[in-house]
CSV table of all heavy atoms in Angstrom, one decimal:
chain,number,residue,atom,x,y,z
B,128,LEU,N,-39.4,-8.7,29.2
B,128,LEU,CA,-39.1,-7.5,30.0
B,128,LEU,C,-40.3,-6.7,30.3
B,128,LEU,O,-40.6,-6.2,31.4
B,128,LEU,CB,-38.0,-6.7,29.3
B,128,LEU,CG,-37.4,-5.5,30.1
B,128,LEU,CD1,-36.7,-6.0,31.3
B,128,LEU,CD2,-36.5,-4.7,29.2
B,129,VAL,N,-41.1,-6.5,29.2
B,129,VAL,CA,-42.2,-5.6,29.3
B,129,VAL,C,-43.4,-6.2,30.1
B,129,VAL,O,-44.1,-5.5,30.9
B,129,VAL,CB,-42.7,-5.2,27.9
B,129,VAL,CG1,-44.0,-4.4,28.0
B,129,VAL,CG2,-41.7,-4.4,27.2
B,130,ILE,N,-43.5,-7.5,30.0
B,130,ILE,CA,-44.6,-8.2,30.7
B,130,ILE,C,-44.4,-8.1,32.2
B,130,ILE,O,-43.4,-8.5,32.7
B,130,ILE,CB,-44.7,-9.7,30.3
B,130,ILE,CG1,-45.1,-9.8,28.8
B,130,ILE,CG2,-45.8,-10.3,31.1
B,130,ILE,CD1,-45.2,-11.2,28.4
B,134,ALA,N,-48.1,-10.4,37.2
B,134,ALA,CA,-49.3,-10.8,36.5
B,134,ALA,C,-49.2,-12.2,36.0
B,134,ALA,O,-50.1,-13.0,36.2
B,134,ALA,CB,-49.6,-9.8,35.4
B,137,LEU,N,-49.1,-14.7,38.8
B,137,LEU,CA,-50.5,-14.8,39.3
B,137,LEU,C,-51.3,-15.8,38.5
B,137,LEU,O,-51.9,-16.7,39.1
B,137,LEU,CB,-51.2,-13.5,39.3
B,137,LEU,CG,-51.0,-12.6,40.5
B,137,LEU,CD1,-51.6,-11.2,40.2
B,137,LEU,CD2,-51.6,-13.2,41.7
B,142,TYR,N,-53.7,-21.3,38.9
B,142,TYR,CA,-54.3,-22.6,38.3
B,142,TYR,C,-53.6,-23.8,38.9
B,142,TYR,O,-54.1,-24.9,38.6
B,142,TYR,CB,-54.1,-22.6,36.8
B,142,TYR,CG,-55.2,-21.7,36.2
B,142,TYR,CD1,-54.9,-20.4,35.7
B,142,TYR,CD2,-56.5,-22.2,36.0
B,142,TYR,CE1,-55.9,-19.7,35.1
B,142,TYR,CE2,-57.5,-21.4,35.5
B,142,TYR,CZ,-57.2,-20.2,35.0
B,142,TYR,OH,-58.2,-19.4,34.5
B,222,ALA,N,-41.7,-12.8,48.5
B,222,ALA,CA,-42.5,-12.2,49.6
B,222,ALA,C,-43.8,-11.7,49.1
B,222,ALA,O,-44.9,-11.9,49.7
B,222,ALA,CB,-41.7,-11.2,50.4
B,226,PHE,N,-47.4,-13.2,50.0
B,226,PHE,CA,-48.4,-12.3,50.7
B,226,PHE,C,-49.7,-12.4,50.0
B,226,PHE,O,-50.8,-12.3,50.7
B,226,PHE,CB,-47.8,-10.9,50.7
B,226,PHE,CG,-48.7,-9.9,51.4
B,226,PHE,CD1,-48.8,-9.9,52.7
B,226,PHE,CD2,-49.5,-9.0,50.6
B,226,PHE,CE1,-49.7,-9.0,53.4
B,226,PHE,CE2,-50.3,-8.1,51.3
B,226,PHE,CZ,-50.4,-8.1,52.6
B,227,ILE,N,-49.8,-12.5,48.7
B,227,ILE,CA,-51.1,-12.5,48.0
B,227,ILE,C,-51.7,-13.9,48.2
B,227,ILE,O,-52.9,-14.1,48.0
B,227,ILE,CB,-50.9,-12.2,46.5
B,227,ILE,CG1,-50.3,-10.9,46.4
B,227,ILE,CG2,-52.2,-12.3,45.8
B,227,ILE,CD1,-50.3,-10.4,44.9
B,250,LEU,N,-53.4,-6.5,62.8
B,250,LEU,CA,-53.2,-5.1,62.9
B,250,LEU,C,-54.2,-4.5,64.0
B,250,LEU,O,-53.8,-3.8,64.8
B,250,LEU,CB,-53.5,-4.4,61.6
B,250,LEU,CG,-52.4,-4.6,60.5
B,250,LEU,CD1,-53.0,-4.6,59.1
B,250,LEU,CD2,-51.4,-3.6,60.7
B,253,ASP,N,-53.4,-5.6,67.4
B,253,ASP,CA,-52.1,-5.1,67.9
B,253,ASP,C,-51.1,-6.2,68.2
B,253,ASP,O,-50.2,-6.1,69.0
B,253,ASP,CB,-52.3,-4.3,69.2
B,253,ASP,CG,-51.3,-3.2,69.3
B,253,ASP,OD1,-50.6,-2.9,68.3
B,253,ASP,OD2,-51.1,-2.7,70.5
B,255,TRP,N,-48.3,-7.0,67.0
B,255,TRP,CA,-47.2,-6.5,66.1
B,255,TRP,C,-46.1,-7.5,66.0
B,255,TRP,O,-45.4,-7.5,64.9
B,255,TRP,CB,-46.7,-5.2,66.7
B,255,TRP,CG,-46.3,-5.2,68.1
B,255,TRP,CD1,-47.0,-4.9,69.2
B,255,TRP,CD2,-45.0,-5.6,68.6
B,255,TRP,NE1,-46.3,-5.1,70.3
B,255,TRP,CE2,-45.0,-5.5,70.0
B,255,TRP,CE3,-43.8,-6.0,68.0
B,255,TRP,CZ2,-43.9,-5.8,70.8
B,255,TRP,CZ3,-42.7,-6.3,68.8
B,255,TRP,CH2,-42.8,-6.2,70.1
B,258,PHE,N,-46.3,-9.5,62.6
B,258,PHE,CA,-46.0,-9.0,61.2
B,258,PHE,C,-44.8,-8.1,61.1
B,258,PHE,O,-44.3,-7.8,60.0
B,258,PHE,CB,-47.2,-8.2,60.7
B,258,PHE,CG,-47.8,-7.1,61.5
B,258,PHE,CD1,-47.1,-5.8,61.6
B,258,PHE,CD2,-48.9,-7.3,62.3
B,258,PHE,CE1,-47.7,-4.8,62.4
B,258,PHE,CE2,-49.4,-6.3,63.1
B,258,PHE,CZ,-48.8,-5.0,63.1
B,259,ILE,N,-44.3,-7.6,62.3
B,259,ILE,CA,-43.1,-6.7,62.2
B,259,ILE,C,-41.8,-7.5,61.9
B,259,ILE,O,-41.1,-7.2,61.0
B,259,ILE,CB,-42.9,-5.8,63.4
B,259,ILE,CG1,-44.1,-4.9,63.5
B,259,ILE,CG2,-41.6,-5.1,63.3
B,259,ILE,CD1,-43.8,-3.5,63.9
B,262,GLY,N,-41.2,-8.7,58.0
B,262,GLY,CA,-40.9,-7.6,57.1
B,262,GLY,C,-39.6,-7.0,57.4
B,262,GLY,O,-38.8,-6.6,56.5
B,263,LEU,N,-39.3,-6.9,58.7
B,263,LEU,CA,-38.0,-6.3,59.1
B,263,LEU,C,-36.9,-7.1,58.6
B,263,LEU,O,-35.9,-6.6,58.1
B,263,LEU,CB,-38.0,-6.2,60.6
B,263,LEU,CG,-36.9,-5.3,61.2
B,263,LEU,CD1,-37.0,-3.9,60.7
B,263,LEU,CD2,-36.9,-5.4,62.7
B,266,THR,N,-36.5,-6.6,54.8
B,266,THR,CA,-35.8,-5.3,54.6
B,266,THR,C,-34.4,-5.3,54.9
B,266,THR,O,-33.5,-4.9,54.1
B,266,THR,CB,-36.5,-4.2,55.4
B,266,THR,OG1,-37.9,-4.3,55.2
B,266,THR,CG2,-36.0,-2.8,55.0
B,270,GLY,N,-31.7,-5.0,52.0
B,270,GLY,CA,-30.9,-3.8,52.1
B,270,GLY,C,-29.5,-4.1,52.2
B,270,GLY,O,-28.6,-3.5,51.6
B,277,VAL,N,-22.9,-2.6,46.4
B,277,VAL,CA,-22.2,-1.3,46.2
B,277,VAL,C,-20.7,-1.5,46.7
B,277,VAL,O,-19.8,-1.0,46.0
B,277,VAL,CB,-22.9,-0.2,46.9
B,277,VAL,CG1,-22.0,1.1,46.8
B,277,VAL,CG2,-24.3,0.1,46.4
B,289,GLU,N,-12.9,5.1,47.6
B,289,GLU,CA,-12.7,6.4,48.3
B,289,GLU,C,-11.3,6.4,48.8
B,289,GLU,O,-10.8,5.5,49.3
B,289,GLU,CB,-13.7,6.6,49.4
B,289,GLU,CG,-15.1,6.4,48.9
B,289,GLU,CD,-16.1,6.3,50.1
B,289,GLU,OE1,-16.3,7.4,50.7
B,289,GLU,OE2,-16.6,5.3,50.4
C,15,THR,N,-45.8,-8.5,22.3
C,15,THR,CA,-46.0,-8.8,23.8
C,15,THR,C,-47.5,-9.0,24.1
C,15,THR,O,-47.8,-9.9,24.8
C,15,THR,CB,-45.5,-7.6,24.6
C,15,THR,OG1,-44.1,-7.3,24.2
C,15,THR,CG2,-45.5,-8.0,26.1
C,26,ILE,N,-53.2,-20.9,29.6
C,26,ILE,CA,-53.0,-21.4,31.0
C,26,ILE,C,-54.1,-22.3,31.5
C,26,ILE,O,-53.9,-23.4,31.9
C,26,ILE,CB,-52.7,-20.3,32.0
C,26,ILE,CG1,-51.4,-19.6,31.6
C,26,ILE,CG2,-52.5,-20.8,33.4
C,26,ILE,CD1,-50.2,-20.4,31.6
C,27,PRO,N,-55.4,-21.8,31.4
C,27,PRO,CA,-56.4,-22.6,32.0
C,27,PRO,C,-56.6,-23.9,31.3
C,27,PRO,O,-57.0,-24.9,31.9
C,27,PRO,CB,-57.7,-21.7,31.8
C,27,PRO,CG,-57.2,-20.4,31.5
C,27,PRO,CD,-55.9,-20.5,30.9
C,30,MET,N,-53.4,-26.3,32.4
C,30,MET,CA,-53.2,-26.6,33.8
C,30,MET,C,-53.7,-28.0,34.1
C,30,MET,O,-54.7,-28.5,33.5
C,30,MET,CB,-53.8,-25.6,34.6
C,30,MET,CG,-53.1,-24.3,34.7
C,30,MET,SD,-51.5,-24.5,35.5
C,30,MET,CE,-50.4,-23.8,34.3
C,131,LYS,N,-20.6,15.1,51.1
C,131,LYS,CA,-20.3,13.8,51.7
C,131,LYS,C,-21.4,13.5,52.8
C,131,LYS,O,-21.9,12.4,52.9
C,131,LYS,CB,-18.9,13.8,52.3
C,131,LYS,CG,-18.4,12.4,52.5
C,131,LYS,CD,-17.9,11.8,51.1
C,131,LYS,CE,-17.6,10.4,51.1
C,131,LYS,NZ,-17.5,9.3,51.5
C,142,TYR,N,-31.5,3.2,50.4
C,142,TYR,CA,-31.4,1.7,50.3
C,142,TYR,C,-32.4,1.0,51.2
C,142,TYR,O,-33.0,0.0,50.8
C,142,TYR,CB,-30.0,1.3,50.7
C,142,TYR,CG,-29.0,1.3,49.5
C,142,TYR,CD1,-27.9,2.1,49.6
C,142,TYR,CD2,-29.3,0.6,48.4
C,142,TYR,CE1,-27.0,2.1,48.5
C,142,TYR,CE2,-28.4,0.6,47.3
C,142,TYR,CZ,-27.3,1.4,47.4
C,142,TYR,OH,-26.4,1.5,46.3
C,146,ALA,N,-35.4,-1.3,49.7
C,146,ALA,CA,-35.3,-2.7,50.1
C,146,ALA,C,-36.6,-3.2,50.8
C,146,ALA,O,-36.8,-4.4,51.1
C,146,ALA,CB,-34.1,-3.0,51.0
C,148,PRO,N,-40.2,-4.3,51.5
C,148,PRO,CA,-41.3,-4.8,50.7
C,148,PRO,C,-42.5,-3.9,50.7
C,148,PRO,O,-42.8,-3.4,51.8
C,148,PRO,CB,-41.6,-6.2,51.3
C,148,PRO,CG,-40.5,-6.4,52.3
C,148,PRO,CD,-39.9,-5.1,52.6
C,150,MET,N,-45.6,-4.3,50.8
C,150,MET,CA,-46.7,-4.6,51.7
C,150,MET,C,-46.3,-4.4,53.1
C,150,MET,O,-47.2,-4.0,53.9
C,150,MET,CB,-47.3,-6.0,51.5
C,150,MET,CG,-46.3,-7.1,51.9
C,150,MET,SD,-45.3,-7.5,50.5
C,150,MET,CE,-44.5,-8.9,51.0
C,151,TRP,N,-45.0,-4.5,53.4
C,151,TRP,CA,-44.6,-4.3,54.8
C,151,TRP,C,-44.7,-2.9,55.2
C,151,TRP,O,-45.2,-2.5,56.3
C,151,TRP,CB,-43.2,-4.9,55.0
C,151,TRP,CG,-42.9,-5.0,56.5
C,151,TRP,CD1,-43.5,-5.7,57.4
C,151,TRP,CD2,-41.8,-4.2,57.1
C,151,TRP,NE1,-42.9,-5.6,58.6
C,151,TRP,CE2,-41.9,-4.6,58.5
C,151,TRP,CE3,-40.9,-3.3,56.7
C,151,TRP,CZ2,-41.0,-4.1,59.4
C,151,TRP,CZ3,-40.0,-2.8,57.6
C,151,TRP,CH2,-40.1,-3.2,59.0
C,154,ILE,N,-48.2,-2.1,55.7
C,154,ILE,CA,-48.7,-2.6,57.0
C,154,ILE,C,-48.2,-1.7,58.1
C,154,ILE,O,-49.0,-1.4,59.0
C,154,ILE,CB,-48.1,-4.1,57.3
C,154,ILE,CG1,-48.8,-5.1,56.3
C,154,ILE,CG2,-48.3,-4.5,58.7
C,154,ILE,CD1,-48.2,-6.5,56.4
C,158,TRP,N,-50.7,0.2,60.5
C,158,TRP,CA,-50.7,-0.1,61.9
C,158,TRP,C,-50.3,1.2,62.7
C,158,TRP,O,-51.0,1.6,63.6
C,158,TRP,CB,-49.8,-1.2,62.2
C,158,TRP,CG,-49.7,-1.6,63.6
C,158,TRP,CD1,-50.6,-2.1,64.4
C,158,TRP,CD2,-48.5,-1.5,64.4
C,158,TRP,NE1,-50.2,-2.4,65.7
C,158,TRP,CE2,-48.8,-2.0,65.7
C,158,TRP,CE3,-47.2,-1.0,64.2
C,158,TRP,CZ2,-47.9,-2.0,66.8
C,158,TRP,CZ3,-46.3,-1.0,65.3
C,158,TRP,CH2,-46.7,-1.5,66.5
C,162,ILE,N,-53.8,2.8,63.0
C,162,ILE,CA,-54.5,2.2,64.2
C,162,ILE,C,-53.9,2.8,65.5
C,162,ILE,O,-54.7,3.3,66.3
C,162,ILE,CB,-54.3,0.7,64.2
C,162,ILE,CG1,-55.0,0.1,63.0
C,162,ILE,CG2,-54.8,0.1,65.5
C,162,ILE,CD1,-54.9,-1.4,62.9
C,163,LYS,N,-52.6,2.8,65.6
C,163,LYS,CA,-52.1,3.3,66.9
C,163,LYS,C,-52.3,4.8,67.1
C,163,LYS,O,-52.7,5.2,68.1
C,163,LYS,CB,-50.6,3.0,66.9
C,163,LYS,CG,-50.2,1.6,66.9
C,163,LYS,CD,-50.8,0.8,68.0
C,163,LYS,CE,-49.8,0.7,69.2
C,163,LYS,NZ,-50.3,-0.2,70.2
C,256,LEU,N,-38.6,0.3,32.9
C,256,LEU,CA,-38.2,-1.1,33.3
C,256,LEU,C,-38.9,-1.4,34.6
C,256,LEU,O,-39.2,-2.6,34.9
C,256,LEU,CB,-36.7,-1.2,33.5
C,256,LEU,CG,-35.9,-1.1,32.2
C,256,LEU,CD1,-34.4,-1.1,32.5
C,256,LEU,CD2,-36.3,-2.2,31.3
C,281,LEU,N,-58.2,-8.5,42.0
C,281,LEU,CA,-57.4,-9.6,41.5
C,281,LEU,C,-57.3,-10.7,42.7
C,281,LEU,O,-57.5,-11.9,42.5
C,281,LEU,CB,-56.0,-9.2,41.2
C,281,LEU,CG,-55.2,-10.1,40.3
C,281,LEU,CD1,-55.9,-10.5,39.0
C,281,LEU,CD2,-53.9,-9.3,40.0
C,282,LEU,N,-57.1,-10.1,43.9
C,282,LEU,CA,-57.0,-11.0,45.0
C,282,LEU,C,-58.3,-11.7,45.3
C,282,LEU,O,-58.3,-12.9,45.5
C,282,LEU,CB,-56.5,-10.2,46.2
C,282,LEU,CG,-56.3,-11.1,47.5
C,282,LEU,CD1,-55.2,-12.0,47.3
C,282,LEU,CD2,-56.1,-10.3,48.7
C,290,TYR,N,-62.2,-17.3,37.6
C,290,TYR,CA,-61.1,-17.3,36.6
C,290,TYR,C,-61.3,-16.2,35.5
C,290,TYR,O,-60.4,-15.7,35.0
C,290,TYR,CB,-61.0,-18.7,35.9
C,290,TYR,CG,-60.4,-19.7,36.9
C,290,TYR,CD1,-61.0,-20.8,37.3
C,290,TYR,CD2,-59.1,-19.4,37.5
C,290,TYR,CE1,-60.5,-21.7,38.2
C,290,TYR,CE2,-58.6,-20.3,38.4
C,290,TYR,CZ,-59.3,-21.4,38.7
C,290,TYR,OH,-58.7,-22.3,39.6
C,294,GLN,N,-58.5,-13.5,34.7
C,294,GLN,CA,-57.9,-13.3,33.3
C,294,GLN,C,-58.2,-11.9,32.8
C,294,GLN,O,-57.3,-11.3,32.2
C,294,GLN,CB,-58.5,-14.3,32.3
C,294,GLN,CG,-58.0,-15.7,32.6
C,294,GLN,CD,-58.7,-16.8,31.7
C,294,GLN,OE1,-59.2,-17.7,32.2
C,294,GLN,NE2,-58.7,-16.5,30.4
C,297,PHE,N,-55.7,-9.6,34.5
C,297,PHE,CA,-54.4,-9.9,33.9
C,297,PHE,C,-54.2,-9.1,32.6
C,297,PHE,O,-53.3,-8.4,32.4
C,297,PHE,CB,-54.2,-11.4,33.7
C,297,PHE,CG,-53.0,-11.8,32.9
C,297,PHE,CD1,-51.8,-11.7,33.5
C,297,PHE,CD2,-53.1,-12.2,31.6
C,297,PHE,CE1,-50.6,-12.0,32.8
C,297,PHE,CE2,-52.0,-12.5,30.9
C,297,PHE,CZ,-50.8,-12.5,31.5
C,305,LEU,N,-48.2,-1.8,28.9
C,305,LEU,CA,-47.7,-1.6,27.6
C,305,LEU,C,-48.0,-0.1,27.2
C,305,LEU,O,-47.1,0.6,26.6
C,305,LEU,CB,-48.4,-2.5,26.6
C,305,LEU,CG,-48.0,-3.9,26.6
C,305,LEU,CD1,-48.8,-4.8,25.6
C,305,LEU,CD2,-46.5,-4.1,26.3
Side-chain angles (χ1 to χ4, degrees):
Chain B
L128 187 63
V129 174
I130 296 182
L137 273 170
Y142 281 101
F226 180 72
I227 301 189
L250 286 153
D253 209 17
W255 54 266
F258 54 81
I259 296 220
L263 192 60
T266 308
V277 174
E289 306 172 73
Chain C
T15 309
I26 298 297
M30 282 294 129
K131 202 76 191 5
Y142 275 121
M150 66 273 189
W151 192 62
I154 292 176
W158 179 67
I162 296 181
K163 298 300 268 187
L256 294 175
L281 199 54
L282 182 67
Y290 290 120
Q294 286 172 234
F297 169 75
L305 287 178

